[in-house]
Amino acid sequence: MDEFTQALDATIAALDQMERATDRPLRASRGALDRLCHLPPLASDKAQRLEPLRQRVSVCLQCPHLASARTQTVFGVGNPNAELMFIGEAPGADEDRQGEPFVGRAGQLLTKIIAAMGFSRDEVYIANVLKCRPDMPAGEPGNRKPTPDEMETCLPYLTEQIEIIGPKVLVALGATAVEGLLKIREPMGKLRGRWHAYRETPLMITFHPSYLLRNQSNTEKRKVWEDMLLVLERLERSITEKQRNYFR
Ligand code: URA
């Protein structure tokens, strides 16, 4: 439970107690009611709590080799109140340039998966274990996987992000993200399709979208889709017959 909900519960319990202790209804001044009516909406509470974290990440120098090579850090994007949060491994060249996770080819596929689930990209939250692009030798194209050390150094930022957002379900994309989160290395075939947990939040593991770009058969697409159907069931979202049958 987040701090705001705890404070709200405690306030309601105290008001309840006060009401039971007197036979007259509780009264509040016009000024107090006015202030309550003008509180910022709850949604911006999490956005406000993410902001100082975003700022700390943006000036992070804990991995000097990454800090000196990056264009910018890539914090995360989406709804701070999301029920569903996707976690990838690290920004690539496109993400480093644009400052947003999953905007390259793999990202476009992820956006399609999210849409097929019935969400828009800004209804969910998307972040990576690593907030910097793993550096590449000068002039070399492509991206490299983050190292276990780099992921361990950066993980506390993601953990704080998850704690603030408090999603109902996490989805880890690919074995490297799983290694960063759970410190386990196992074949995807053993990890996907069943529930795990990250600090008590249910965690579904599935293939990284770049795997699907390399393996475009319906059999592999169906595996990812079956994992997403489990996620939708866990979120108690209604699933159409058409959705159930994708890639069959
Ligand atoms: N792959 C990832 O794991 N994360 C991104 O942001 C982009 C590609």
Side-chain angles (χ1 to χ4, degrees):
M1 195 190 291
D2 64 32
E3 278 170 59
F4 180 89
T5 315
Q6 276 174 19
L8 190 62
D9 282 353
T11 308
I12 292 170
L15 287 170
D16 248 345
Q17 215 172 14
M18 283 162 69
E19 193 166 43
R20 269 187 264 111
T22 162
D23 41 15
R24 277 181 302 162
L26 289 180
R27 300 176 72 87
S29 72
R30 196 171 283 281
L33 286 175
D34 205 42
R35 280 196 299 281
L36 272 175
C37 289
H38 293 95
L39 278 180
L42 195 53
S44 73
D45 180 54
K46 289 184 181 179
Q48 276 169 16
R49 289 171 58 206
L50 283 172
E51 211 33 52
L53 177 60
R54 178 195 298 277
Q55 278 166 22
R56 271 194 286 136
V57 167
S58 74
V59 293
C60 180
L61 299 174
Q62 287 190 79
C63 305
H65 61 294
L66 300 184
S68 63
R70 73 188 178 214
T71 306
Q72 58 196 314
T73 54
V74 178
F75 181 68
V77 72
N79 177 3
N81 274 316
E83 295 192 331
L84 175 57
M85 180 166 175
F86 290 88
I87 300 170
E89 53 184 61
D94 295 316
E95 290 75 21
D96 172 74
R97 217 173 299 120
Q98 297 186 40
E100 184 171 326
F102 283 99
V103 291
R105 278 185 72 224
Q108 284 158 22
L109 180 52
L110 176 63
T111 306
K112 282 189 190 162
I113 295 171
I114 291 169
M117 294 173 79
F119 291 99
S120 69
R121 202 173 140 102
D122 30 274
E123 274 177 287
V124 301
Y125 200 90
I126 307 173
N128 284 307
V129 177
L130 216 69
K131 308 301 188 209
C132 289
R133 179 187 182 213
D135 58 335
M136 293 291 289
E140 233 180 75
N143 299 307
R144 71 161 171 86
K145 288 194 180 308
T147 66
D149 273 357
E150 289 166 347
M151 291 197 284
E152 182 152 11
T153 306
C154 210
L155 184 64
Y157 291 136
L158 177 65
T159 305
E160 221 174 305
Q161 235 170 341
I162 295 170
E163 263 166 29
I164 294 173
I165 294 163
K168 287 193 186 147
V169 168
L170 293 167
V171 175
L173 301 164
T176 309
V178 173
E179 198 183 334
L181 274 174
L182 303 183
K183 316 267 187 300
I184 54 169
R185 272 181 81 100
E186 283 197 45
M188 255 332 217
K190 279 197 169 172
L191 294 168
R192 59 155 291 273
R194 62 190 175 87
W195 288 102
H196 304 253
Y198 180 66
R199 298 187 163 209
E200 319 210 328
T201 305
L203 169 72
M204 177 56 62
I205 294 174
T206 197
F207 288 107
H208 193 283
S210 60
Y211 170 85
L212 288 185
L213 291 174
R214 295 190 304 271
N215 301 276
Q216 301 217 0
S217 71
N218 269 13
T219 321
E220 297 312 286
K221 288 181 190 164
R222 177 71 196 175
K223 285 180 190 163
V224 171
W225 187 243
E226 278 175 4
D227 300 339
M228 296 307 101
L229 287 174
L230 290 173
V231 168
L232 289 174
E233 277 165 11
R234 185 93 188 208
L235 292 173
E236 295 174 20
R237 303 273 297 201
S238 56
I239 303 173
T240 64
E241 210 39 42
K242 191 172 165 201
Q243 276 175 316
R244 284 222 180 269
N245 289 321
Y246 283 159
F247 309 115
R248 269 227 227 263

